[in-house]
Amino acid sequence: MRFWLYALAVLLLAACNSGERQRLQLEELERQNRADSVMLNDSLARALALWFDRHGTPNEQMRAYYILGRTYADRGETPAALEAYNDAIDHADTIAADCNYYTLCRVYSQMAVLFFRQNLLNEDLRCLDKSIHYAYLAGDTIAAINSYAQKADAYELLGMPDSVIANCQKTFLHPEIFNDYMAMVSNAYIVKGDLINARRCLDVYERKSGYFDDKGNIESGREAYYDIKGTLYYKSAQYDSAEYYFRKELQEGLGYTFQNMASRSLSLLFEKTGKADSAAKYAIYSYETNDSDYAQMTTETLARMQTMYDYSCHQRVAEQAEKRAEQERLHVLALLAVIAALSFVGVYASLKVKRSRRFARERYYAKIKELANVQSDVLSLRSSEEELCCLIREKEIKLNQLNKELSALRKRHFSSANDSESQLVSSPLFQTLQNKAVHGEKMSDKDWTELNQLVIDLLPGFYEFVMSEQYKLTVSEYRTLLLLRLHISPKPISYMLGYTPQNITRLSKSVLQKVFGIDGNSSDLVALIVKIH
């Protein structure tokens, strides 16, 4: 008996030494994953990943890091999960004859799920394309079809109905997948105005999805179907039926999203049918639920941002540790480099002045560019809702700080500049804008950025005047004022801004009244602003 116990102990020890225990543990975690169990033991998963990283084959390494990623995902640690999935991809030997394409397909599929939840739709689509590619290499057609269907979710959020339809059509031979997406396809056809196919797809969804009870009610959480059904009737001018389904969504849909969708649809319906009071009522309710829905989404977004921030901190700490190790390794070389550098002190001293001037100029124009960008942000924020007041204040503080820094740099390094007006007229941008005025071309974002920088550089007094907090000019007023200051007539300005000449006349009068407190036209305004440098 003792002999057999001893022999068993020897066999167990040999198994442990050969990694059998680690392989059994990995297979057990994979079994839990296939059973869709919640996996929270990150210590074991991490230990296995590290062990296989040193002792395993490429396929075992990929499997171990994939399980580690699934564990982090179940724990809600999205950044760590993405890092583990990327490690799994890095360990895969895709050119090997025995490469486990089956697991690699699922790595990309799980990454796509995480990116979709983070609203990173382009990354989601990229991973799904990879998942489809490796699913076909693994001979797993069902996995490939599932990934095609998942792409439709991203395309719907991106507002690409044709792509939604095209991807879902690829699942046609697999009804268990195809039927599940018919409501989404129906909505895509509605967006395209194809009501016949929209109705056909919705009929398939109602008959074959399995989400409806005997009375035609859809299971909880899928009430968006009522909005699609109501919209189909609305587009078909069957307003009573449309109202029925919109109200059904309003009554049964839980959560702000369904309430907002239903109330908005009812508002549009009553506006269409001439019921102004009801339209106003549901418009107000839609506005209220939209605020609540937005607040909820904002909270979730901040939580995701916090997670990504924590991950960034983790990465930064790791990078700093790596840098410290590298610095210690190169310490001796650094000392030798210092000794060698001392022999070049004379050359360095002669170049220092030139480098200082170049740095000052680069810094000066960098400040101009930064100031122009901040100024553009301030103008945009001034036209936003009241909830952005705090952000506007932060930008204005930054704007004032940049103004002071820029003024100091201008006095220190550019006190002997030529006449600003002549420099303005002779600048290439001035000539470009004159040509655009002659040909009635609309200005691009790049043109506006360069013009802002030119005004900051050559007409600082004018810039400070128009950017005064006292006036709070809108973007349209500010841009009209800049072009008038460049001696461009109102009619060409209307083409360059994409407005009508009447708009420019109105904007000129508005600026005159707001800034100078007088009534007049664009000529009166030009006569006043050309004196400001």
Side-chain angles (χ1 to χ4, degrees), residues 479-490 493 504 508 522 525-526 529-530:
R479 290 182 171 180
T480 300
L481 205 55
L482 286 190
L483 294 177
L484 287 172
R485 180 62 182 81
L486 267 64
H487 312 292
I488 299 175
S489 301
I493 290 177
I504 303 303
S508 298
S522 56
L525 180 58
V526 171
I529 62 175
V530 293

Side-chain angles (χ1 to χ4, degrees), residues 208-256:
K208 298 184 178 182
S209 67
Y211 298 137
F212 295 83
D213 60 19
D214 296 337
K215 297 180 180 179
N217 299 313
I218 200 166
E219 66 181 34
S220 179
R222 299 180 182 273
E223 286 84 4
Y225 153 78
Y226 294 131
D227 198 76
I228 298 172
K229 182 86 169 182
T231 303
L232 179 59
Y233 280 120
Y234 174 78
K235 295 289 186 179
S236 303
Q238 296 175 264
Y239 300 129
D240 290 341
S241 297
E243 181 180 351
Y244 171 78
Y245 282 101
F246 290 150
R247 289 191 181 278
K248 193 172 180 63
E249 180 186 20
L250 191 66
Q251 294 165 1
E252 299 179 13
L254 301 178
Y256 296 120

Side-chain angles (χ1 to χ4, degrees), residues 297-314:
M297 289 190 296
T298 300
T299 302
E300 294 170 354
T301 300
L302 288 174
R304 292 195 297 267
M305 289 174 64
Q306 181 63 46
T307 304
M308 297 305 291
Y309 173 76
D310 293 341
Y311 176 56
S312 298
C313 291
H314 166 73

Side-chain angles (χ1 to χ4, degrees), residues 37-262:
S37 301
V38 177
M39 302 165 61
L40 302 176
N41 192 349
D42 60 322
S43 298
L44 175 59
R46 186 165 52 248
L48 289 175
L50 292 174
W51 189 90
F52 282 106
D53 197 73
R54 294 190 296 270
H55 306 290
T57 65
N59 281 337
E60 288 173 334
Q61 292 166 353
M62 175 173 57
R63 289 164 52 203
Y65 277 106
Y66 170 56
I67 291 299
L68 179 59
R70 291 288 294 118
T71 303
Y72 280 132
D74 282 354
R75 290 171 59 88
E77 301 177 25
T78 298
L82 289 172
E83 183 179 17
Y85 289 147
N86 278 314
D87 287 337
I89 293 168
D90 290 340
H91 284 86
D93 185 0
T94 56
I95 62 174
D98 65 340
C99 180
N100 189 345
Y101 295 120
Y102 176 88
T103 298
L104 191 55
C105 157
R106 277 147 184 79
V107 172
Y108 278 110
S109 178
Q110 292 299 322
M111 288 181 73
V113 170
L114 296 181
F115 282 129
F116 183 82
R117 290 173 181 170
Q118 296 290 328
N119 205 32
L120 299 173
L121 302 181
N122 289 326
E123 287 299 309
D124 171 38
L125 292 171
R126 179 185 66 81
C127 289
L128 288 174
D129 285 334
K130 290 284 189 180
S131 176
I132 292 167
H133 172 72
Y134 289 115
Y136 281 128
L137 288 180
D140 191 343
T141 305
I142 296 297
I145 296 302
N146 268 312
S147 293
Y148 274 121
Q150 290 176 44
K151 288 179 70 175
D153 293 318
Y155 285 131
E156 183 178 46
L157 292 179
L158 289 169
M160 303 170 65
D162 290 330
S163 297
V164 171
I165 295 168
N167 271 270
C168 290
Q169 285 176 342
K170 293 176 182 177
T171 70
F172 179 72
L173 296 178
H174 298 270
E176 70 279 7
I177 302 172
F178 179 74
N179 296 337
D180 200 38
Y181 279 82
M182 282 298 93
M184 183 187 297
V185 178
S186 177
N187 190 56
Y189 275 123
I190 291 173
V191 172
K192 288 168 58 64
D194 187 348
L195 302 185
I196 295 176
N197 276 318
R199 189 178 301 277
R200 176 181 59 82
C201 291
L202 211 57
D203 288 343
V204 172
Y205 184 71
E206 292 167 350
R207 288 186 287 107
K208 298 184 178 182
S209 67
Y211 298 137
F212 295 83
D213 60 19
D214 296 337
K215 297 180 180 179
N217 299 313
I218 200 166
E219 66 181 34
S220 179
R222 299 180 182 273
E223 286 84 4
Y225 153 78
Y226 294 131
D227 198 76
I228 298 172
K229 182 86 169 182
T231 303
L232 179 59
Y233 280 120
Y234 174 78
K235 295 289 186 179
S236 303
Q238 296 175 264
Y239 300 129
D240 290 341
S241 297
E243 181 180 351
Y244 171 78
Y245 282 101
F246 290 150
R247 289 191 181 278
K248 193 172 180 63
E249 180 186 20
L250 191 66
Q251 294 165 1
E252 299 179 13
L254 301 178
Y256 296 120
T257 300
F258 293 133
Q259 294 294 300
N260 176 249
M261 291 169 60

Side-chain angles (χ1 to χ4, degrees), residues 1 18 21 24 57 122 175 245 264 343 411 467 477 480 517:
M1 183 67 177
S18 65
R21 178 169 61 87
L24 289 174
T57 65
N122 289 326
Y245 282 101
R264 182 182 57 197
S343 63
K411 292 176 182 179
M467 283 303 298
E477 292 171 342
T480 300

Side-chain angles (χ1 to χ4, degrees), residues 200-411:
R200 176 181 59 82
C201 291
L202 211 57
D203 288 343
V204 172
Y205 184 71
E206 292 167 350
R207 288 186 287 107
K208 298 184 178 182
S209 67
Y211 298 137
F212 295 83
D213 60 19
D214 296 337
K215 297 180 180 179
N217 299 313
I218 200 166
E219 66 181 34
S220 179
R222 299 180 182 273
E223 286 84 4
Y225 153 78
Y226 294 131
D227 198 76
I228 298 172
K229 182 86 169 182
T231 303
L232 179 59
Y233 280 120
Y234 174 78
K235 295 289 186 179
S236 303
Q238 296 175 264
Y239 300 129
D240 290 341
S241 297
E243 181 180 351
Y244 171 78
Y245 282 101
F246 290 150
R247 289 191 181 278
K248 193 172 180 63
E249 180 186 20
L250 191 66
Q251 294 165 1
E252 299 179 13
L254 301 178
Y256 296 120
T257 300
F258 293 133
Q259 294 294 300
N260 176 249
M261 291 169 60
S263 56
R264 182 182 57 197
S265 297
L266 284 168
S267 175
L268 293 173
L269 173 65
F270 289 131
E271 182 180 4
K272 180 74 174 180
T273 56
K275 299 177 181 179
D277 290 343
S278 296
K281 169 188 171 183
Y282 286 105
I284 293 172
Y285 185 57
S286 174
Y287 178 81
E288 293 172 350
T289 54
N290 184 63
D291 279 353
S292 301
D293 192 27
Y294 176 77
Q296 181 177 346
M297 289 190 296
T298 300
T299 302
E300 294 170 354
T301 300
L302 288 174
R304 292 195 297 267
M305 289 174 64
Q306 181 63 46
T307 304
M308 297 305 291
Y309 173 76
D310 293 341
Y311 176 56
S312 298
C313 291
H314 166 73
Q315 277 193 318
R316 187 164 59 253
V317 170
E319 289 171 359
Q320 289 172 350
E322 184 178 351
K323 286 180 180 179
R324 283 195 297 270
E326 183 69 12
Q327 287 171 354
E328 291 175 2
R329 188 181 70 83
L330 297 175
H331 183 67
V332 175
L333 293 177
L335 290 176
L336 294 175
V338 169
I339 295 173
L342 292 176
S343 63
F344 294 96
V345 169
V347 176
Y348 173 77
S350 64
L351 296 176
K352 186 175 181 180
V353 175
K354 292 183 179 179
R355 185 167 62 251
S356 177
R357 289 176 179 174
R358 184 175 67 254
F359 174 76
R361 182 170 294 276
E362 290 173 352
R363 186 182 177 196
Y364 174 78
Y365 285 109
K367 290 293 181 182
I368 286 179
K369 184 175 182 180
E370 185 179 2
L371 179 57
N373 289 335
V374 173
Q375 168 262 321
S376 179
D377 289 342
V378 170
L379 288 174
S380 298
L381 289 170
R382 283 176 178 171
S383 301
S384 302
E385 299 293 337
E386 292 183 358
E387 61 264 25
L388 295 178
C389 287
C390 291
L391 185 56
I392 291 176
R393 185 58 189 163
E394 291 176 7
K395 290 291 184 178
E396 288 177 340
I397 292 173
K398 180 67 174 177
L399 187 63
N400 291 333
Q401 178 184 346
L402 289 171
N403 270 322
K404 292 177 181 178
E405 293 176 4
L406 188 59
S407 296
L409 287 171
R410 184 181 292 111
K411 292 176 182 179

